[in-house]
């Protein structure tokens, strides 16, 4: 009996700000004003869709697994130093976490769901942590001790610890599209960075993400820039990258893999607010 397998991995990162004539050049950086407050919604997740095909009996079995975390938070800028580095207080307003196992069972937490109001994770709503971010979007955690101590006991404590780890906080707030942008840019300018593939791929690889400034315009006295990203597999290696995820090892050669890795950011350069930002990787084999 021959069994064919189709496997797709989708990894998504989205950021959206909830916000109540052409410009030839733009300095692509975050420039928030001290004491300003912005509300953001961030979604991070991945999913896997399987199809097990048995041609001899004309039968196909499908499965879906995945997980997603959605967080709505306010970002209040406490201070901005002369170099443009900002210290921000982040307060969690809404939180939703879901995961789906291979049998299709979905479990999770939703702070907007009345059935979850007694969950220990509700203690994260209203909790705050502090970060520092550079004009180019790199992030470091200043203080998250109080938020990390809010949830105690069992699986909920582990979930909270994972959501509030230094790595996850940085991933939630960093702006990858800006990290390698150099100097004032004009429409059509490009820059790139090399990143490792996420866990769960057919084979471990690296991608070169190429960002392009596709539009700069004036809207009601505000400078709005659009940056689009397209990534391709790269032979470049990343020093210190995690080699533990070897994908499917020798079995990877049995399949042909197709990747689609794209993204788009719209940023208000006048007030330093990101209007929308997403990066999505789809892999199929």
């Amino acid at each position: 009996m021959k069994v064919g397998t189709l496997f797709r991995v989708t990894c998504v990162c989205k950021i959206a700000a909830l916000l109540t004539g052409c410009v030839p050049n733009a300095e692509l950086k975050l420039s928030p004003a001290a004491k300003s407050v912005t509300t953001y919604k961030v979604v991070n997740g991945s999913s896997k869709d399987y199809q097990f095909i048995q041609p001899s009996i004309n039968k196909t079995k499908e499965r879906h697994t995945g997980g997603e975390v959605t967080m709505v938070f306010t970002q209040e800028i406490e201070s901005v130093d002369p170099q443009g580095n900002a210290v921000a207080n982040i307060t969690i307003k809404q939180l939703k976490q879901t995961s789906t196992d291979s049998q299709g069972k979905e479990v999770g937490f939703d702070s907007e769901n009345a059935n979850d109001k007694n969950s220990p994770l509700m203690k994260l709503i209203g909790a705050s942590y502090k970060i520092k971010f550079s004009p180019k979007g790199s992030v470091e955690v200043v203080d998250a001790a109080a938020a990390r101590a809010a949830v105690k006991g069992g699986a909920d404590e582990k979930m909270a610890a994972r959501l509030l780890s230094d790595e996850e906080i940085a991933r939630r707030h960093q702006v990858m599209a800006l990290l390698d942008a150099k100097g004032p840019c004009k429409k059509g300018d490009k820059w790139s960075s090399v990143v490792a593939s996420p866990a769960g791929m057919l084979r471990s690889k690296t991608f070169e993400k190429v960002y392009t400034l596709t539009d700069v315009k004036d809207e009601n006295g505000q400078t709005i820039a659009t940056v689009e990203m397209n990534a391709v597999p790269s032979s470049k290696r990343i020093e210190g990258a995690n080699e533990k995820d070897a994908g499917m090892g020798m079995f990877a050669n049995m399949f042909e893999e197709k990747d689609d890795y794209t993204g788009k950011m719209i940023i208000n350069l006048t007030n330093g607010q990101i209007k929308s930002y997403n990066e999505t990787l789809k892999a199929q084999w």
Side-chain angles (χ1 to χ4, degrees):
M1 177 183 70
K2 286 189 174 181
V3 178
T5 304
L6 175 66
F7 183 28
R8 182 171 71 249
V9 179
T10 304
C11 299
V12 182
C13 175
K14 296 181 180 179
I15 303 177
L18 309 180
L19 304 175
T20 54
C22 290
V23 179
N25 293 286
E27 183 73 33
L28 293 177
K29 64 179 183 179
L30 301 175
S31 53
K35 309 306 178 183
S36 63
V37 179
T38 308
T39 299
Y40 285 100
K41 179 180 181 179
V42 176
V43 181
N44 287 291
S46 64
S47 65
K48 299 177 183 179
D49 295 292
Y50 306 79
Q51 282 186 333
F52 299 96
I53 305 171
Q54 296 175 267
S56 60
I57 59 175
N58 193 28
K59 183 178 180 181
T60 299
K61 186 176 182 179
E62 298 184 353
R63 289 181 179 177
H64 172 84
T65 63
E68 186 174 273
V69 175
T70 302
M71 183 182 291
V72 176
F73 57 84
T74 57
Q75 174 181 283
E76 181 177 1
I77 305 301
E78 292 191 352
S79 62
V80 181
D81 68 19
Q83 289 73 45
N85 300 300
V87 174
N89 192 58
I90 307 299
T91 302
I92 302 171
K93 297 298 184 180
Q94 296 177 25
L95 177 64
K96 182 178 181 180
Q97 181 272 328
T98 59
S99 61
T100 306
D101 64 20
S102 60
Q103 303 304 313
K105 181 180 179 181
E106 183 175 294
V107 295
F109 165 79
D110 184 353
S111 63
E112 297 299 288
N113 189 331
N115 294 329
D116 290 332
K117 294 303 181 183
N118 293 323
S119 169
L121 290 173
M122 280 299 297
K123 293 181 180 179
L124 291 180
I125 307 305
S128 298
Y129 55 89
K130 191 175 296 187
I131 62 171
K132 181 178 181 180
F133 61 88
S134 73
K136 289 301 183 182
S138 62
V139 172
E140 63 180 85
V141 178
V142 176
D143 184 12
R148 289 168 179 163
V151 180
K152 296 293 184 183
D156 290 321
E157 181 177 358
K158 292 180 180 179
M159 172 58 67
R162 185 160 58 250
L163 290 174
L164 296 172
S165 67
D166 282 4
E167 180 181 3
E168 283 300 306
I169 289 176
R171 191 161 72 105
R172 185 177 305 127
H173 296 279
Q174 70 182 356
V175 185
M176 295 173 287
L178 297 180
L179 294 178
D180 295 287
K182 307 294 184 184
C185 297
K186 63 181 182 298
K187 185 176 178 179
D189 281 355
K190 301 177 184 290
W191 58 96
S192 66
S193 62
V194 177
V195 299
S197 61
M201 297 284 287
L202 177 64
R203 56 175 61 84
S204 178
K205 62 173 68 175
T206 56
F207 287 93
E208 182 172 12
K209 300 197 295 186
V210 179
Y211 295 92
T212 305
L213 179 60
T214 58
D215 193 26
V216 183
K217 60 185 178 182
D218 181 271
E219 288 186 0
N220 301 318
Q222 308 280 299
T223 301
I224 308 298
T226 300
V227 176
E228 297 186 20
M229 185 275 289
N230 285 278
V232 294
S234 171
S235 60
K236 299 176 182 178
R237 306 305 300 171
I238 300 176
E239 185 177 353
N242 187 359
E243 299 293 340
K244 292 182 180 180
D245 181 29
M248 295 179 63
M250 60 179 293
F251 295 103
N253 296 325
M254 298 171 58
F255 304 94
E256 179 183 357
E257 185 177 27
K258 297 179 181 179
D259 302 312
D260 183 21
Y261 199 174
T262 59
K264 183 177 182 178
M265 177 181 70
I266 300 176
I267 180 172
N268 184 324
L269 297 175
T270 302
N271 59 23
Q273 294 179 352
I274 297 173
K275 302 185 70 176
S276 64
Y277 181 26
N278 73 80
E279 293 195 3
T280 302
L281 167 60
K282 296 181 180 179
Q284 181 174 315
W285 57 87

